Amino acid sequence: MKLGLHSIFDSATFTLTYIVWHPQTRAAIIIDPVFDFDPATQLLSHHSVQKVVDFVSAKELRVQWIFETHAHADHLSSARELRALFPGSQWAMSAAMAEVFATFKKVLGWPADLTIEQLGVDRWLRDQEEIAVDGFTVQALATPGHTPACMTLRIGDWLFTGDALLMPDSGVGRCDFPGGSAEKLYDSIFGKIYALPDHCQVFVGHDYQPGGRSLRFQASLAEQKESNIHLRSGQSRAEFVEFRQSRDKSLGSPRLLQPSLDWNLGVHQIVKRLKV
């Protein structure tokens, strides 16, 4: 039976949130939900959260899991808030988040007594681990490179790649954050994602709409391999690493880097300054 899929696009951060559900059991998952944040006023708002709540309510869905593909540095996550709004739901991220947390704790000077347990994640996922939802299964594939804790979520022939693999005309995610690695990203894409059947469909974490084109967030693996502007089938590891490292040197920091990491990695002592 074909699953239901709904996307919500946040134009302020170019982020895609996905809701996947089983049409008979009404069991659902949420992937990469957004919490709205205005850096000028430091105000948080629930506009994007409400879009998720309204859709789930209209479809009479039962949210069982909320997944993050990685620790986002360009938008705030609403996973904690949605978990509270959907009793019985659980929040899952990659177990490699421990490495990301430790790295940014040093880089950003977070309090010494801060621990990753304060984040409150329910399930730390290992590579190839499967999560059973009523009517379908979600498999976590470790695809590090953009960050050490990036996961691609596989649901049948659907692949939710986060920032690892973007639309073909946007390429792939940058690798210059602490712990990032162009070598690892190449290995992740060729070893894990491109190794899957060509008919699999990639759903990306962001669409930057290059050239002003209309929103697009889905492409087949065959299209990715043939026309991804950063990493096509047959491209050598050395070529990609040289290109990625050179390109990353020209990129500025994400606009919401500090507040995103403060919030998404659970630095409660710091995010108290943010006003909901």
Side-chain angles (χ1 to χ4, degrees), residues 66-86:
I66 302 165
F67 293 94
E68 299 281 8
T69 56
H70 63 295
H72 312 282
D74 49 15
H75 70 272
L76 277 63
S77 166
S78 61
R80 282 187 294 267
E81 290 66 36
L82 288 171
R83 181 178 57 181
L85 290 170
F86 298 124

Side-chain angles (χ1 to χ4, degrees), residues 51 54 66 124 134 146 166 218 249 267:
K51 285 185 178 181
D54 289 346
I66 302 165
W124 297 107
D134 287 347
H146 172 62
L166 303 171
Q218 177 182 357
K249 290 177 183 177
V267 189

Side-chain angles (χ1 to χ4, degrees), residues 113-225:
D113 59 350
L114 191 71
T115 67
I116 196 169
E117 286 73 24
Q118 291 174 261
L119 186 57
V121 172
D122 298 299
R123 183 81 164 263
W124 297 107
L125 299 171
R126 305 287 179 180
D127 185 30
Q128 307 290 334
E129 187 171 351
E130 295 185 348
I131 294 290
V133 184
D134 287 347
F136 61 99
T137 300
V138 181
Q139 183 183 37
L141 302 176
T143 49
H146 172 62
T147 78
C150 286
M151 295 189 309
T152 289
L153 300 172
R154 183 179 184 184
I155 305 173
D157 292 333
W158 293 351
L159 308 172
F160 298 86
T161 56
D163 291 12
L165 186 61
L166 303 171
M167 291 304 299
D169 57 359
S170 290
V172 302
R174 62 194 296 174
C175 299
D176 58 333
F177 297 133
S181 167
E183 291 88 352
K184 288 183 179 179
L185 183 59
Y186 181 94
D187 294 343
S188 292
I189 292 176
F190 272 91
K192 292 280 184 69
I193 300 175
Y194 282 3
L196 295 171
D198 284 354
H199 65 265
C200 287
Q201 297 296 309
V202 171
F203 296 88
V204 300
H206 295 278
D207 183 36
Y208 298 106
Q209 301 172 285
R213 67 155 168 75
S214 59
L215 177 65
R216 188 174 177 223
F217 52 83
Q218 177 182 357
S220 69
L221 269 185
E223 181 183 356
Q224 291 281 9
K225 294 176 185 179

Side-chain angles (χ1 to χ4, degrees), residues 73 108 110 254-263 270-271 273:
L108 298 178
W110 290 338
R255 184 173 63 98
L256 299 179
L257 176 64
Q258 181 84 43
S260 293
L261 291 172
D262 288 351
W263 182 266
I270 296 174
V271 299
R273 70 174 182 267

Side-chain angles (χ1 to χ4, degrees), residues 237-254:
R237 193 173 190 258
E239 288 174 333
F240 172 73
V241 170
E242 181 180 2
F243 159 78
R244 186 70 263 173
Q245 291 178 345
S246 175
R247 179 174 174 80
D248 286 348
K249 290 177 183 177
S250 70
L251 301 176
S253 296

